[in-house]
Structure formats: C-alpha cells, structure tokens
Amino acid sequence: MATITITDNRDGKQYEFDILSPTVGPDVIDIRSLYQKTGMFTYDPGFTSTASCSSSITYIDGEKGELRYRGYDISDLATKRTYLDTCYLLLMDKLPSKTELAAFDMEIRKRSFVHEGLKNLFYAFPDSAHPMAMMSSAVSALSAFHYEHLDIKEEEEFQIMARRILAKIPTLAALSYRRSLGIPFIYPDIERSFTENFLYMMRAYPSAETLIRDVEIKALDTIFTLHAEHEQNASTSTVRGVASTGAHPYAAISAGINALWGRAHGGANESVIAQLEMIGTVDKVDEFIKKAKDPDDDFRLMGFGHRVYKNFDPRAKILKQLLDELKEDLGVDSELLEVAMRIEEVALTDEYFIKRKLYPNIDFYSGLILTALKIPKSLFTIIFVIGRSVGWITQWIELRHDKEMKIARPRQRYTGPVSKKI
Ligand code: ACO
C-alpha cells in the first residue's frame, strides 16, 4: 500500500497515511485516522480537496472536460441513447436490452400517477408560489404516501422505491406548473413516452389535441440525459448527507431539490435567460463583461464557470451542437441567441476568463432550448430536477449499500470566544 508521510514542523513528529487509488482519477489520502493520530482536523471549506465517499457511478475529469456515467461517455449516451436508457444504466449498472428497456419504460409509465390526495397539497399554495417551492414540498409529502420505503432491505424494494420517484417527479413537476397558472391538472397518458408525457402534462388542455413534435421530444430528452448524474455536487452531497442520517429517501431527494434551487447551482439556468434578457442587445455585451470582471461588483456572468470543469463543460458542448442543429426547427429566439453567442465569443477570448478557466457550463445553453420549447423560466430548474432525480436516487442506493458510510458530520475550526461568564 502506498503511503504519505506528513511532518509537523513544530515538533518534527511524523505521521503516515495510506494512499488509496481509484480506477481512474486522482489518488486520495485516507485521513480517517488523522484526528486520532494527530489531534488535528483538516480545513477545507467548500470541500475543494475532499473526497466524501467512494462511488462507482460517475467519473468526471474536469481538466480534460470529460464526463462518464458507469463508464459510458456522456456524448455517446446523449446522441445514441434515450434518457430512460440512461436511467436504467444508472440504476442497474448496465445498458438495457430492447426487452429490458420496454419493460422498464412500461413500468415507469404505470408508476407515473400520484395519489389523488397529494393533489390537494397544491391547492394550499398561493398563486405566486415558485414551482420549485411546490416541487420540494410535494416530493417531501410523497414520503407520507410511501412511508414503507423508510426501511428498505430487499434489492427489489430499492428498485421499486427508485422507479416510483423517477416516474412521479414529472407528474409533480407538471402539477406545480399548472397550479402556478391556475389551469386544470392533467393526468399522465401512459400511451406516451417519458419525455413526451411530461410535455403533454405541461401543455394539454382537457379534451383538446396536443401537438408535441419529435424534435421537441429529442431536445428535452437530451437535456434530461445531460442532467442525469454529476457525482458529488452540492445537491447530491445534500441527498447523501440527509440519507446518512437514515431519513426517508424522498425526504433526502426533497432536500436535494432545495439545494439545487440556488443560483450557484441548478438555479443558474433561470438566471442565465433572465440575464440575457436584461442585456438585451449585442451592443450591451461589453458593458456586462466589464461588470463581471470588476472585483468591486458582485455581478457574475451566469452560465460561466464550474467548480470541477476547468475546460469546456462536456454537457455544454453537446447542447451547443444540439442548439446549432435544431435552432431553426425549434424556433430558438434569434435575438437572445445572438447575445449569448457574442458573450461566449468575448468571454472565451478575454484574459480574465481564460486565466480563471471560466468556460460556459450546461446552463448557458439549456435555457435557450427550453425557451424555444415554450417552457417558462420559473420551470427551468424543475427540468433539472426531473433529469437529476435518477442520479440522486442512484447515489442514495449506493450510500445505503456502502459499509464504510457514517453519518455526515464534519468538524470545524472554532473561532469564537473561549469562555464567558454570565
Ligand atoms: N463571472 C465572473 N467571474 C467569475 C464567475 C462568473 N460566472 N465565476 C467565477 N468567477 C471568478 C470569481 O470572481 C473568482 O475570481 P477571483 O479569483 O479574482 O476572486 C474566480 O473566478 C473563482 O471563482 P469561485 O467562485 O471561487 O469558483 P468556484 O469554483 O467556487 O465557483 C461557480 C463555481 C459557483 C459555478 C461560479 O463559477 C459561478 O458562480 N458561476 C455562475 C453561476 C453558474 O453558472 N452556476 C452553474 C454551475 S453549473 C451547475 O450547477 C449545473
């Protein structure tokens, strides 16, 4: 076993730690015995140098801009397979055969209905409620309707629990949207595929025909695939943190939804379009680039930068290509696109962005496609939730099978007063 020795230069004492190797990627120093051996903690706000678990689900090489789910390149999955293939892959650790996919697809369709009682929850929200607020509450409430998933033991039960949430999240997403507009709820249509069904539940009017074009299904399905998993990001770490306490899986997913909501994470897609609309015209781009570079201005170029990718986000590359291919068919807003392309051009050649390795991320392009699909801004992060639900639940299952997992309980460097008297 490879080891590393650290020397405390205050007293010259040396401590040895094992180095664990992954199948690919950086080695990790096993510091689990650090406190016991040295009486010290590590200090790593934001966990920039910390591996919180072992995982065999997703691999990211941020320097090269690579992303693989269960060993498969994201570009192959996004261009050659559907979102449901990817869900099966993540959950079952293998790509499905045709028969397996057909059975999985039918199971997801049949599980897409939610308890009639759950619909009542949506009437409690004010008209102004943001769909993400309704979504996280509804997913949390789902744990009351399927409480039996709290104590899962058999493999089959893990799969039922996972497929249930995967199937119901689009239905809850559509209910959140329709409630925010005050329009009648639409039941899932099991004649339709996963992605088509979601568009149907969003758009349909009772007893009227609903037009959903293949190009729209393809675009949204690709977006779902690209969002399906992304190892230990903020929302997934939240799901794992909640799961580590033994909470209900749907409560953990609800917590993940709330973590995703923030603008530094999944909420960025909503902010990107809001920002493009605010910038408005190509001639204003330079002014906003200047603001983004100003250290005294907290304005950030939304859709740029990533904690892990210090190169083009591979998901952004795929979406940019999709945007190029489908912009006419989808009817992408040409003015917004022009502003976005100008920002991309300026940022990719500007010293400030180059030096900090700030590239466009997935959110920079997804909003343009979602807008063309007539999905309102307030629902962009919900789209992310639908795609990511499979990743969260796969991580939840992995954690529950991991014998080394403990309750997530970091320590701190205390900086308050030592002791005060009343
Ligand atoms: N615009 C302008 N400057 C930026 C941007 C940006 N979008 N992102 C980072 N920087 C600058 C910072 O000001 C900092 O500069 P400094 O070194 O001079 O102080 C430097 O780049 C490093 O930034 P950090 O915030 O330390 O980087 P971190 O890795 O912690 O943050 C993050 C990554 C949160 C994604 C950040 O780049 C950001 O806020 N981007 C905009 C929001 C966004 O698009 N989020 C979506 C992420 S992708 C996803 O969740 C799917």
Side-chain angles (χ1 to χ4, degrees), residues 46 48 227 230 233-235 260 262-269 271-272 275 288-289 291-295 297-310 313 315 352-353 355-364 384 388:
T48 53
H227 285 94
H230 215 228
N233 55 79
S235 54
L260 186 77
R263 252 179 303 163
H265 194 9
N269 54 14
S271 309
V272 168
Q275 201 171 83
F288 284 93
I289 294 273
K291 271 169 80 60
K293 288 160 47 175
D294 182 352
D297 192 331
D298 60 8
F299 177 86
R300 282 196 169 196
L301 214 47
M302 300 313 289
F304 272 78
H306 196 276
R307 170 59 66 78
V308 180
Y309 294 119
K310 300 302 170 196
D313 177 341
R315 304 164 300 171
Y352 173 94
F353 291 87
K355 198 171 144 217
R356 290 168 181 76
K357 298 186 176 173
L358 300 171
Y359 288 84
N361 57 49
I362 187 170
D363 296 322
F364 187 67
F384 199 149
R388 184 55 56 83

Side-chain angles (χ1 to χ4, degrees), residues 15 35 100 118-119 155 198 230 251 274 284 312 319 347 391-392 419:
Y15 305 95
Y35 179 63
E100 285 164 337
L118 187 51
K119 286 199 305 193
E155 280 313 306
F198 172 66
H230 215 228
K284 298 251 186 66
F312 234 96
L319 275 194
W392 288 328
S419 165

